[in-house]
Amino acid sequence: MNRVLVVSHATPHFPGPGSETRVFCLAEQLSREFDIEFLLPDYGEGNREQVEALRSRFSVETFRAKPETGHWNRLHWTWFRWRRRLEGWGRHLSATPQMVHQLRLIFPGLIAALERVRWERYDLVHFVHPESAVVLGKVSVPLPKTLDWVDERTTVLRRQEKGTSWSQGQQILELWRVERFQRWVARQFDAGFVSSDVDAERLGRRTGVRPVVVDNAVRLEYFTNRSAERPDSNDIVFTGQMSYEPNVDAVRYFSEEILPLILRDVPDGRFYIVGMQPAPEVRAIAERLGESVIVTGEVADVRPYLCRSKVSVVPLRNGGGTRLKVLEAMAMRRPVVSTRIGCEGLMVEEGKHLLIGENPSNFAAAVVSLLKDGERWQRFAENGRKLVEERYGWRKSAERIAEVWRALIEKDVQGVTSG
């Protein structure tokens, strides 16, 4: 069995945030054919439980990350943003502040760990996230290499910057730097993967190398709701990591501009914001709007909240990649109302699998129609579940990676970076 070393800055686990879930579920499927070993940072209490859980399924090697002196904040990352420009390796970093902070903690340890690797033990090395690839400027890896880009970063930056105080010149400079970084990264790997055709086209255009599309998917045996009954409540739910800026913006937008319109027609409606690490702005929404908004914080299982809710909303206005929250809600037979960005890259048909609202009034009207119309609700619930069963299973997605790994290991690299 061929052995693959997977390098990641975060600990894959399920259930978990989008990228961690993606890595774990793909590895679970790929381990049927490949012997997978992870190389991960040890954040102490921050990820010890997750690392031990992963060790029950895979071989895991860890390296010590530098102790964190506190959560990153705007002052913290602004300093490191200027500092990295003065360091030789800093020119390769992306503009995302949290990733700059994380790399400061793991970069030295990861280089040292890779320098100790006995490469003859492995047949291929797989990196997760382009930021982890910064080490390739310092360490030589004499094996075929692949990269999971996860999403296309410049799209995320362009959308986020619309709501910032950055000048146009600052935006142009940051985007130029990230695009330059992407081109450098693309040259380091034999093949790359992204989660949608949209991201593949964008990265291919910017780097000259089109990644292979590996769809995000859903663990169907976990996200299942055998009851087809429509909940009695008029609860609405949003799920996701609530320290992630696109999610913070989404729930703020929904709560302030869409929810009041819904409550005019459905006064007993309640909006549940379910996810770990809610930012202060998110908690402030619940304090300001009272009983109509409930912020749960981290929960062990999101399924009960999906079951009790009548509609799942994805009012995203920025971000990239494809959203597991859409697929998970559909798998649980919960109709989805989304913006176009929220369902971008998914093979969904508006009016059949979900409803789309591009402004507050249209979004609110779509939610109200599902809260009030039982027949319409049932149709979307069944169509969504049918779609994920037919297209969005992890085994099918993992096979795309397996095809590329086989070709690279067998030294047949013709065409592996296309499509």
Side-chain angles (χ1 to χ4, degrees), residues 79-91:
W79 162 246
F80 288 115
R81 198 167 144 229
W82 281 103
R83 174 180 165 183
R84 73 182 187 206
R85 291 176 180 177
L86 303 177
E87 298 174 350
W89 59 269
R91 67 183 183 275

Side-chain angles (χ1 to χ4, degrees), residues 98-111:
Q98 191 167 12
M99 188 61 69
V100 171
H101 184 60
Q102 284 182 312
L103 278 175
R104 185 182 66 87
L105 302 179
I106 73 168
F107 192 78
L110 179 54
I111 289 176

Side-chain angles (χ1 to χ4, degrees), residues 16-238:
S19 61
E20 285 90 327
T21 288
R22 173 180 170 91
V23 176
F24 180 91
C25 291
L26 287 170
E28 191 175 46
Q29 296 298 324
L30 288 163
S31 64
R32 299 167 184 262
E33 182 178 348
F34 302 91
D35 185 0
I36 292 177
E37 182 176 311
F38 284 96
L39 180 61
L40 307 169
D42 175 5
Y43 293 114
E45 293 299 326
N47 71 335
R48 184 164 297 153
E49 184 177 341
Q50 295 167 355
V51 167
E52 292 308 313
L54 193 65
R55 279 200 172 109
S56 68
R57 303 293 302 273
F58 304 98
S59 296
V60 179
E61 293 292 330
T62 61
F63 58 91
R64 184 64 178 166
K66 291 172 62 176
E68 187 171 3
T69 57
H71 293 296
W72 67 275
N73 53 43
R74 183 166 294 277
L75 180 61
H76 206 163
W77 76 259
T78 298
W79 162 246
F80 288 115
R81 198 167 144 229
W82 281 103
R83 174 180 165 183
R84 73 182 187 206
R85 291 176 180 177
L86 303 177
E87 298 174 350
W89 59 269
R91 67 183 183 275
H92 295 308
L93 291 178
S94 78
T96 54
Q98 191 167 12
M99 188 61 69
V100 171
H101 184 60
Q102 284 182 312
L103 278 175
R104 185 182 66 87
L105 302 179
I106 73 168
F107 192 78
L110 179 54
I111 289 176
L114 288 171
E115 287 175 341
R116 293 191 299 269
V117 169
R118 293 166 51 200
W119 297 113
E120 69 273 10
R121 296 178 61 234
Y122 303 100
D123 299 287
L124 182 142
V125 182
H126 178 68
F127 283 76
V128 179
H129 281 290
E131 286 84 354
S132 299
V134 171
V135 296
L136 296 178
K138 296 287 186 178
V139 179
S140 175
V141 178
L143 291 172
K145 298 182 291 295
T146 61
L147 169 69
D148 192 343
W149 292 84
V150 182
D151 57 27
E152 200 283 300
R153 183 59 57 184
T154 60
T155 300
V156 178
L157 287 172
R158 287 177 193 277
R159 289 167 174 168
Q160 283 182 324
E161 286 162 3
K162 292 177 182 178
T164 71
S165 59
W166 284 12
S167 69
Q168 185 176 7
Q170 287 174 309
Q171 293 178 18
I172 292 171
L173 177 61
E174 284 299 308
L175 286 166
W176 175 82
R177 292 178 62 252
V178 176
E179 289 177 1
R180 179 172 177 262
F181 170 68
Q182 288 179 333
R183 289 191 293 271
W184 179 84
V185 167
R187 293 195 299 270
Q188 311 307 308
F189 292 91
D190 299 291
F193 310 106
V194 288
S195 61
S196 74
D197 287 303
V198 174
D199 281 355
E201 191 277 329
R202 288 169 179 157
L203 269 172
R205 186 173 66 248
R206 293 191 179 109
T207 67
V209 182
R210 183 181 172 90
V212 176
V213 177
V214 176
D215 290 325
N216 274 335
V218 64
R219 206 172 184 179
L220 292 168
E221 70 278 10
Y222 182 87
F223 286 100
T224 187
N225 181 8
R226 302 193 183 283
S227 172
E229 293 184 4
R230 186 165 171 261
D232 293 329
S233 73
N234 283 317
D235 292 347
I236 303 160
V237 68
F238 177 94

